[in-house]
Structure formats: C-alpha cells, structure tokens
Amino acid sequence: EAQVTQNPRYLITVTGKKLTVTCSQNMNHEYMSWYRQDPGLGLRQIYYSMNVEVTDKGDVPEGYKVSRKEKRNFPLILESPSPNQTSLYFCASSTPPSGRYSEQYFGPGTRLTVT
Amino acid sequence: AQKVTQAQTEISVVEKEDVTLDCVYETRDTTYYLFWYKQPPSGELVFLIRRNSFDEQNEISGRYSWNFQKSTSSFNFTITASQVVDSAVYFCALSEAEGAQKLVFGQGTRLTINP
C-alpha cells in the first residue's frame, strides 16, 4: 500500500529539548515536503526536498532543520523547540513535475505541543 | 505570489441543507492546479478533487459538486443535502505546474452540520 508515515503521531515536549519527527514514504518519490497547520492560517510549507541531499526553504523555515540522506526519509528536526512551534505537522511526497500534475500524498499528521 | 482565500471561517447548517464553500485564488501562472481537501475531526487530510487550469468543466461526484470559474478566479465547492458526516474543516489549495510542487492552502472553512 502506497503511504507516507510519520512518527510520532503525538508529542508533548518542553522548550529547548531537541526533537525529530520522522517521515517515510514507500513510493520512491523524489519530492518531499513538510507543512505546518495552524488555526486560521491553513497549511504552510516549512521545507521541501527535490531529491537526496537537495533541500530548500519553504515559507516558514525558521526554527526547523531537515535532512535528506535517503530517498524514502525526510526527518524534521527542531533543535530548540519553542511554544510557537506547537502545531499540527504534515509530511507529503510526490513525483517530479513533468508538464502534468504529480499527485501529492500526505502523511497522517503529527500533533506537537511545546510547553 | 500565489494566494488562496477562503473568506468563510465557519459555517453551520442544519442537516439536509445545501451549503457552498467559497474559494478565491490568485496566481500569475497560466498553468496551475486547484484542490479541495477535507480534514475530519480525526485530523488527516482527505483529497477530494483536483482541477487543472485548462479544465473549467464543473464536476459532480455524488452530493459534491465543484464550480471552477477562471473569470472570477474562484473554485467553489457545494455539498447538496448535507449530512452530519460532512462536518469537517475544508481546505482549498493551489499548486503551480512546475517547480517544487508546493501547495498553497487557504485558511480553511470549518463546516458544522447539525442534526
């Protein structure tokens, strides 16, 4: 079954304690993205990756890091989480565009609370 | 820059009423894609429809229908004979045809169907 998995699904942590949210896809997709969802703001892109070792900032990258060492994995790293990073996070993957739309697959979401 | 506006923050109707969710978008691209996603209380994003900018034909899927009008940059979503299970947050989104496949989301409309 084609899917994007995220772990953990729920996380409560304290300010400043480094954490990693993992994302993995089994569709051999080149493109992967991270979004955060906040009330009244919809979803906003944090970072994206077009292939292994190729990453770039999205609209709200501050306070986040990513890495893409393997094609299937795209972890989101919060080196020093702060309460304003409390949010619902989604990972997504897709194939490269080729003049036609490439389907986006979303993970189930990770609800992060930083106290 | 691309932008999606969902002016209706919350809508509440009684079951069996028809309801329309508005979506207005801005883009300079001539080729783009429009989407609707449903987010039920469980939190996952459920893909509903994708439309490309060259296909203005309206679409109907059961009780759901979509009205795409390039002249007004709108992509509205109507639920006919609403049901309690339709209660969710609905997002409209826009994607460029090329590039990083970033989805630009609207703020979302919370739809409550009361029995």
Side-chain angles (χ1 to χ4, degrees):
Chain A
E1 179 190 355
Q3 61 180 358
V4 178
T5 57
Q6 296 178 225
N7 282 292
R9 296 289 312 281
Y10 302 90
L11 179 61
I12 300 174
T13 188
V14 296
T15 299
K17 185 177 181 181
K18 180 179 179 179
L19 66 92
T20 299
V21 183
T22 64
C23 173
S24 183
Q25 49 93 6
N26 63 0
M27 295 164 281
N28 202 36
H29 285 166
E30 285 84 356
Y31 280 48
M32 297 185 76
S33 291
W34 276 102
Y35 294 84
R36 62 176 287 175
Q37 179 184 346
D38 301 292
L41 297 176
L43 283 79
R44 294 173 294 168
Q45 192 184 54
I46 302 170
Y47 267 96
Y48 64 93
S49 169
M50 290 187 276
N51 215 324
V52 175
E53 303 291 359
V54 181
T55 63
D56 207 347
K57 298 177 180 178
D59 295 323
V60 287
E62 294 77 22
Y64 304 95
K65 285 176 58 177
V66 293
S67 69
R68 188 90 181 274
K69 293 183 170 56
E70 302 169 283
K71 197 173 187 180
R72 64 181 292 128
N73 297 323
F74 190 43
L76 180 68
I77 303 158
L78 285 73
E79 295 265 358
S80 183
S82 61
N84 64 13
Q85 292 178 298
T86 293
S87 188
L88 178 59
Y89 291 87
F90 288 98
C91 181
S93 74
S94 64
T95 55
S98 56
R100 294 169 55 86
Y101 180 71
S102 303
E103 187 70 54
Q104 291 249 2
Y105 292 80
F106 281 89
T110 294
R111 189 168 293 281
L112 172 65
T113 301
V114 183
T115 61
Chain B
Q2 297 179 324
K3 184 179 179 181
V4 175
T5 301
Q6 294 178 256
Q8 304 151 309
T9 305
E10 294 191 29
I11 300 175
S12 180
V13 300
V14 176
E15 197 172 20
K16 297 184 183 177
E17 286 186 17
D18 298 348
V19 57
T20 295
L21 282 61
D22 297 331
C23 173
V24 174
Y25 63 91
E26 297 175 28
T27 180
R28 293 180 180 176
D29 295 335
T30 55
T31 304
Y32 51 89
Y33 297 90
L34 295 163
F35 305 81
W36 277 94
Y37 285 87
K38 174 182 180 180
Q39 186 177 48
S42 51
E44 75 273 22
L45 285 169
V46 178
F47 168 81
L48 295 178
I49 190 172
R50 176 183 72 245
R51 257 307 187 249
N52 73 49
S53 53
F54 296 109
D55 184 1
E56 287 192 72
Q57 187 174 6
N58 292 331
E59 179 149 344
I60 298 174
S61 176
R63 296 183 297 106
Y64 295 171
S65 63
W66 290 269
N67 183 358
F68 176 28
Q69 291 194 330
K70 286 179 76 171
S71 60
T72 55
S73 297
S74 64
F75 187 43
N76 297 336
F77 172 33
T78 297
I79 301 175
T80 303
S82 60
Q83 299 177 0
V84 173
V85 294
D86 295 326
S87 296
V89 179
Y90 290 86
F91 291 99
C92 181
L94 169 70
S95 176
E96 59 193 2
E98 301 292 335
Q101 292 290 288
K102 180 173 94 172
L103 280 167
V104 176
F105 286 81
Q107 304 92 319
T109 297
R110 180 177 298 279
L111 176 63
T112 302
I113 311 297
N114 299 298

